[in-house]
Amino acid sequence: AGDDESAPGVFSGHVVFLSREVPRSSLEFVLRASGARVGWAGAAGSAYAENDRLVTVQISDRPQQGHRFLDREYVQPQWVYDSVNAGRLLPTAAYLVGQPLPAHLSPFVEYADGDYVPAEAAHASAHGFEGEVAHLQPEDRDHASDTEAEAEAVDGASADESESDDEVDARVEKQYQAQLQAERAGVPFSKAAPAPAPAKRARKQRQEAEDQERQQMAISMLSVKKRRAVNRAGAEAAKRQKDIGKLKARKAQLAKK
């Protein structure tokens, strides 16, 4: 099975043999609808025997595969369903018989901002998965890009602030020069003027305080009914973030085992 194969029928050109223990009806329907030719064991009417050299893939659900034909791949049933959901033949390495299976991703799940997103979801998105995960990243992503975006947003939002960038930089520079002079005069550093916070951090803190004040003012102007709805939504969002934190902690514990 090729990793980059794509066609109107996902399994077009493949002859798939179903072992006795797998759910034949469901797999046969999905495979035939996706272009495959299908054979099976344990019942009459199969067009292909297990030892047919035309078979390219055999679906098995056993802990171990005994006798093997070297000209085919042996995979677990989930490979069929995940390939159909992705709209392409997925690599078989993660679905080989006896392997722990990856998370099964439904094409009907839509992740909202702040939801826990399995790492497999973003990986599947990058490889053709059709679910609503195209713009999401794994939950264990590096947050460096988020920090850079916040810094750029703070830089761009300074035009309407009471103190301009030049004024902040001038104040910081003045305090820095005062510290240098105190150092030359032998004044201990602990007695000198405290070092100012970086300009970007100061602007960010001021912007966050202003945003929070505006939000509180807007909420206070709502009717009692709407205010309760806003507070309820905030509580639900906080609970969702708490649940996400628990899932991430659980994942970290499992990764250490």
Side-chain angles (χ1 to χ4, degrees), residues 11 19 24 41 60 70 144 154 170 185 187 201 208 243 250 252 257:
F11 300 103
S19 297
R24 173 191 156 193
S60 177
L70 300 180
V154 170
V187 178
R201 184 183 303 172
E208 289 176 349
D243 293 340
R250 178 60 177 163
K257 294 181 180 180

Side-chain angles (χ1 to χ4, degrees), residues 7-240:
V10 174
F11 300 103
S12 294
H14 287 274
V15 177
V16 181
F17 190 84
L18 307 178
S19 297
R20 185 186 303 269
E21 69 280 359
V22 302
R24 173 191 156 193
S25 298
S26 172
L27 286 168
E28 182 184 2
F29 175 81
V30 172
L31 287 165
R32 287 185 181 277
S34 301
R37 292 173 288 170
V38 184
W40 54 85
S46 174
Y48 302 92
E50 185 172 4
N51 61 354
D52 197 313
R53 299 300 297 270
L54 294 176
V55 175
T56 56
V57 179
Q58 183 161 337
I59 309 300
S60 177
D61 199 14
R62 303 168 184 172
Q64 298 182 25
Q65 180 64 36
H67 178 269
R68 291 174 178 262
F69 294 93
L70 300 180
D71 54 355
R72 70 183 65 171
E73 295 188 78
Y74 291 82
V75 296
Q76 300 179 65
Q78 186 177 319
W79 174 76
V80 174
Y81 303 113
D82 285 358
S83 292
V84 171
N85 288 343
R88 61 188 292 276
L89 286 183
L90 294 177
T92 57
Y95 300 88
L96 297 178
V97 172
Q99 292 272 34
L101 289 169
H104 176 67
L105 302 175
S106 170
F108 306 108
V109 173
E110 296 184 7
Y111 295 101
D113 291 341
D115 285 353
Y116 175 82
V117 183
E120 292 84 353
H123 177 76
S125 172
H127 292 79
F129 186 74
E130 297 297 333
E132 297 294 330
V133 296
H135 302 292
L136 296 173
Q137 297 296 322
E139 76 288 346
D140 53 350
R141 66 187 182 280
D142 186 357
H143 292 280
S145 59
D146 294 342
T147 303
E148 293 173 359
E150 290 176 0
E152 291 175 0
V154 170
D155 288 341
S158 62
D160 59 348
E161 294 178 348
S162 58
E163 191 176 17
S164 67
D165 288 351
D166 292 340
E167 291 172 336
V168 172
D169 293 339
R171 176 168 54 81
V172 172
E173 180 64 21
K174 183 177 180 180
Q175 293 181 3
Y176 177 68
Q177 293 298 331
Q179 286 183 344
L180 289 180
Q181 291 178 3
E183 184 178 353
R184 294 192 189 101
V187 178
F189 181 78
S190 59
K191 295 182 179 180
K200 288 184 178 180
R201 184 183 303 172
R203 291 196 298 273
K204 180 180 178 181
Q205 292 173 348
R206 183 166 58 252
Q207 183 67 35
E208 289 176 349
E210 292 176 357
D211 291 344
Q212 185 175 4
E213 183 178 355
R214 284 195 294 267
Q215 183 179 13
Q216 291 176 348
M217 183 178 297
I219 293 175
S220 66
M221 297 175 65
L222 296 173
S223 65
V224 175
K225 183 176 181 180
K226 291 183 178 180
R227 197 181 311 153
R228 288 175 179 171
V230 170
N231 292 336
R232 184 164 55 251
E236 291 175 354
K239 182 179 182 300
R240 184 167 60 250

